[in-house]
Amino acid sequence: MSASGKARFIPVTQPALPPLEDFIPYLQQIWDSRQLTNSGPFHAQLERALCDYLGVPHVALFANGTLALVTALQALRITGEVITTPYSFVATAHSLLWNGITPVFADIDPLTLNLDPARIEAAITPQTTAIMPVHCYGHPCDVERIQAVAERQGLKVIYDAAHAFGVRDGGGSVLRHGDLSVLSFHATKVFNTFEGGAIVCPDADTKQHIDHLKNFGFVDETTVVAPGINGKMSEINAAFGLLQLRDIDAALVRREAVDARYRAAFAGTRGIVCLPVREARANYAYFPVLVRPDYPLRRDALFERLRTHGILARRYFYPLISDFPMYHDMPSAAADNLPVARAASEQVICLPIHPALTEADVEAVIACVTDPAR
Ligand SMILES: *Cc1c(COP(=O)(O)O)cnc(C)c1O
C-alpha cells in the first residue's frame, strides 16, 4: 500500500469498516455483561434489525454462510439428489456433500448466469428432493418459474442468497422466495460481520427448529432433539453487524455510482458485455463483465494486463464447481451438460467495486479495459 511505500493495488473488493472508536462502546457492553455468545442481547438485536432492514419475517443468525447452508438442508431433511448450479462459489455444492446429498449440476441462463429453469426440469430424477439455486452476483433467479417447477414436482427450494443482501424485486425482498434463503456476511460480501451468515425463515416454527439445530439440537438444558451443529454467531460479530447496518445504505449508494460509471464507460467497448440489472433494488455486490471473442484480448490476457496495472480483478466463477476433483466425475459435471456455464466461466472477469474506490481508481480500471493496448 502507498503508506508503506509499496505499489498501490486496487483490490476487487475491500470491506467497509466503521471508525474503530465507534465499536468500542459495543465492546464495553460485552465486557460488562460477560455474555460472549449463546443468543445474547446483540444477537437478538441484530436478528430484529435485519428483519426490519431486509423486510423479511424471521432471521436465524449463523457463524458463517456455509454452516447456514448445511443447516438449511438439515432443517428441511433434504436427501438424495439436489439440482444446483456449477457457476457459483464452491460452498454451494460443498453444503450438499456435507449432508451426503448428490449435487446434480444443471446449466445456466446465458443472460443472467443463474440456473435455467428448463434445465432444472430436465435434470429431475426419482431421487431429486430439492433445488438449490444461487442469486448469482445478487441478480435474482427466475423465481417464479423455479417455484412452478418445484410445485409441479414436489421439490423444496433453498436459495443460496449469499450475494443477495438487500436485493428487492417488484414484490419485496428477494429473500422471501423458496422454502429458505441463506445469506453470507463474510468479509468480502456487501454486508459483513467479519464472518457470519443467516437463514431467512418464513415462519416462527421453522426459525425455532433452525435455532435448535445451530445449537447442537438443544431445546432446553437437558433435552437434545437432533444432531445439531455449533453454528452460532458470537456477540462480537452480532454487535459489529448492528454497527455495519448503520452505514450500509451509504455503502450501497457509493457502489451504485461505481456501477453506473462502469456501465457508461463500457457501453461502447466492443467485446465487453455487462450483465443487465433488472431487480427493483440492486446491491451492486460485484461488477462482472464477459470478455467476448470480439474483444482484442482473451479473458486471461485482460486479467494479467489488469494485474500489471495493480488492478486485482477476479475470475468469479472460474473454474466451475463441477471441475473440482470431488465433482468432476459426476455424470452431470460432463462438459456437454454445461456449455453455457463453461463459456461464462471462460469469459467472466469481476472488476473492482467497493465503497472505498476513488474516482481515480475507477478511471484506471476503465482505461485499462477500454484501451487494452495501453
Ligand atoms: C460467500 C459464499 C458462500 C459462503 O459463505 P461463507 O460465509 O463464506 O461461509 C456460499 N455461497 C456463495 C455463493 C458465496 O458467495
Side-chain angles (χ1 to χ4, degrees), residues 148-167:
V149 172
E151 279 170 20
R152 232 179 357 257
Q153 306 280 349
L155 306 176
K156 301 283 190 196
V157 182
I158 300 112
Y159 280 103
D160 180 339
H163 301 173
F165 186 91
V167 174

Side-chain angles (χ1 to χ4, degrees), residues 63-67 69 88-92 134 160-163 183-186 188-189 195-197 286 317:
N64 61 63
T66 304
L67 279 168
L69 282 172
S88 179
F89 181 61
V90 71
T92 308
V134 178
D160 180 339
H163 301 173
L183 290 164
S184 166
F185 307 146
H186 184 256
T188 55
K189 304 301 205 270
E195 292 268 8
Y286 300 87
F317 287 99

Side-chain angles (χ1 to χ4, degrees), residues 194-235:
F194 283 49
E195 292 268 8
I199 302 179
V200 175
C201 318
D203 57 73
D205 285 350
T206 307
K207 170 169 161 56
Q208 189 175 57
H209 179 44
I210 286 170
D211 283 345
H212 296 155
L213 288 177
K214 78 177 187 193
N215 188 30
F216 312 97
F218 276 108
V219 298
D220 61 37
E221 234 178 81
T222 52
T223 316
V224 173
V225 294
I229 196 145
N230 181 359
K232 293 176 271 104
M233 177 183 278
S234 84
E235 284 292 278

